Amino acid sequence: VIMEKVKYDIETITAAIDCFYNTRAGYIDAEKYLNEFRDTKAAAGTAFKLLHQRNPPQVRLFGGQVLRYVVQNSWGKINEKRRRGFRGSLIAYLTHGTKGVLAESNYIKQIIASIITEIAKIDWPHKWDLLPLLFEASKIGDTQTELVIKTIHILSEEITNFGGSLAKKRKRDLSNVLNTNAGTIMLFLTKKFEGYYLNVAQNPQISSDVSQECIVLIASICETFVNILSWVPISVIESSGVVSLMIPLLNTFQLRLLACECLLTILSRKERKEDIHILLTPFNYIDDIWFSLQNISGTMENDYIFSKRLVQVLSLLGTTHITMAKQKQDLIEVPNYNKYLEAMIGSTSHPSPIISSFTLPFWIKFIDVTENRDEAIATHLFTALDGKTKRYDLKNGDQSATHGYILQDFDTEDEYNSFFSVFRNKILSLQKILSQYNSLIAIQYIGQKY
């Protein structure tokens, strides 16, 4: 790229980007030229042109990066008239500027959503009533809806998780605006979710492209849920019915892990005793959850990853229920509890030590609070724990299922030994407390074993 006379036109900038990425000679000069361009008065207007669909991906990405740079570094120097023009051009690009859901690159979607977020961190809501603009844009089609969802995701994440660059008062103001609009945001997301899920579930003849587009959009909604379900008021979670939306996804192979993450986010919340029943909603769906745990996709690695995550959901569900009670009579009555205990015993029996380990905190708490003397539960638990304290040699295994799972979970003997030490101690603690309340069953178990 010859830069004897500095020109900031599309052709020269495109050539500089190509030089920077694809050649060794001259890339330092190209980088200097591109960095200087970001600080020119023409940067924003030119950057919008660089984002045009007809341009190569690297050029479009650079255009987006320039726009974000302008907002982050020069926004305070821009008068309100130019800010309005910038914001208008950005919403216009969101509305008509990108390719379709499957055709557009994810990094272009992300950069557009992040630019909107950067402006919102400064101008929303007093100078920019953003949410109505986003909701209106989503009515145009799926392409716009996806960008709106990603914007809500990044905006929420920036304010609630990564707001370190924000002044305390500004962060507090933005958090208040988010909370005020939590119900509206959740209603928007759940309605979109229901539409896309029904489109897939009720139309088996749907084309593969449309089906995949719906899957992408549902995944984007779930990723957003994972963030916002940690801070929206608990009443909004209850009224939205989001738990019931996640249950069918546990049997949708492409989306089941995201469904687990949403459920874990809800169950990880710290709530007042009078609201705890909302977190316990998954007890209504124990049959469906247990079925999904046994629903095999055909890919062992993917099935195993899912099993580990879903057992964590089950264990946290039971622990959340038990933790609120100091003694048995304080326990909140929940549906399907016997089926839940059966599912937990089945999970404890799993040949994977990792999966078994996820269930132990629940059982220790359960036995302690309920002073369990149910002979059937005690017998099943002693049987489920049988052989769990055996230490395996990673290099010279016995080809058992347990050894296979250990090889998947641990790269070194040290990692496994560190885990096993804690795992074994928890099992011994559980067996000890179980024996205190079920001494006869414990003696019978030992007699049969030895």
Side-chain angles (χ1 to χ4, degrees), residues 79-116:
N79 62 46
E80 184 55 32
K81 182 179 179 180
R82 288 183 60 202
R83 283 191 184 190
R84 284 197 299 270
F86 190 111
R87 294 191 298 253
S89 296
L90 190 57
I91 295 299
Y93 187 82
L94 179 148
T95 304
H96 299 295
T98 64
K99 301 176 185 178
V101 172
L102 300 181
E104 187 60 274
S105 301
N106 191 56
Y107 54 80
I108 296 295
K109 300 172 186 177
Q110 291 292 120
I111 197 76
I112 297 303
S114 70
I115 297 166
I116 296 173

Side-chain angles (χ1 to χ4, degrees), residues 126-192:
H126 304 299
K127 296 181 179 179
W128 197 26
D129 195 8
L130 175 61
L131 289 181
L133 295 174
L134 295 180
F135 295 152
E136 190 64 29
S138 73
K139 295 176 183 178
I140 297 172
D142 295 340
T143 301
Q144 294 75 18
T145 297
E146 186 189 19
L147 289 170
V148 169
I149 293 166
K150 286 186 178 295
T151 300
I152 292 172
H153 182 179
I154 296 175
L155 179 61
S156 168
E157 202 168 53
E158 280 290 312
I159 294 171
T160 59
N161 295 350
F162 311 127
S165 61
L166 292 168
K168 286 184 179 181
K169 184 179 183 306
R170 183 60 184 151
K171 182 177 180 179
R172 185 170 60 250
D173 291 343
L174 287 171
S175 296
N176 289 338
V177 177
L178 268 183
N179 275 292
T180 300
N181 289 279
T184 304
I185 291 170
M186 280 295 291
L187 181 63
F188 168 76
L189 292 173
T190 53
K191 289 297 183 185
K192 291 295 183 181

Side-chain angles (χ1 to χ4, degrees), residues 190-202:
T190 53
K191 289 297 183 185
K192 291 295 183 181
F193 178 100
E194 289 168 347
Y196 293 128
Y197 184 76
L198 287 175
N199 202 19
V200 174
Q202 295 185 355

Side-chain angles (χ1 to χ4, degrees), residues 240-256:
S240 70
V242 66
V243 172
S244 65
L245 298 181
M246 293 300 108
I247 301 302
L249 291 195
L250 296 175
N251 285 299
T252 306
F253 297 136
Q254 304 102 309
L255 299 166
R256 58 185 182 174

Side-chain angles (χ1 to χ4, degrees), residues 44 50 114-115 157 162 167 190 250 259 288 294 339 358 366 441:
L50 294 172
S114 70
I115 297 166
E157 202 168 53
F162 311 127
T190 53
L250 296 175
D288 299 300
Q294 301 170 80
K339 291 181 179 179
F358 291 148
F366 172 80
I441 301 297

Side-chain angles (χ1 to χ4, degrees), residues 149 152-154 156 182-194 217-232 236-237 240-246 249 258-259 261-266 269:
I149 293 166
I152 292 172
H153 182 179
I154 296 175
S156 168
T184 304
I185 291 170
M186 280 295 291
L187 181 63
F188 168 76
L189 292 173
T190 53
K191 289 297 183 185
K192 291 295 183 181
F193 178 100
E194 289 168 347
L217 287 159
I218 293 170
S220 186
I221 293 170
C222 288
E223 288 165 358
T224 305
F225 277 152
V226 170
N227 177 265
I228 69 175
L229 288 173
S230 64
W231 59 261
V232 295
V236 171
I237 290 178
S240 70
V242 66
V243 172
S244 65
L245 298 181
M246 293 300 108
L249 291 195
L258 280 170
E261 296 304 323
C262 290
L263 293 173
L264 282 170
T265 301
I266 294 171
R269 292 173 61 112

Side-chain angles (χ1 to χ4, degrees), residues 1-3 10-34 56 58-59 62:
V1 180
I2 299 174
M3 302 180 192
I10 301 296
E11 293 76 14
T12 308
I13 294 170
T14 301
I17 293 170
D18 181 67
C19 176
F20 177 77
Y21 281 106
N22 300 315
T23 66
R24 292 185 178 182
Y27 82 91
I28 294 177
D29 288 337
E31 181 181 28
K32 181 175 180 290
Y33 169 81
L34 294 172
Q58 292 172 339
V59 173
F62 177 72

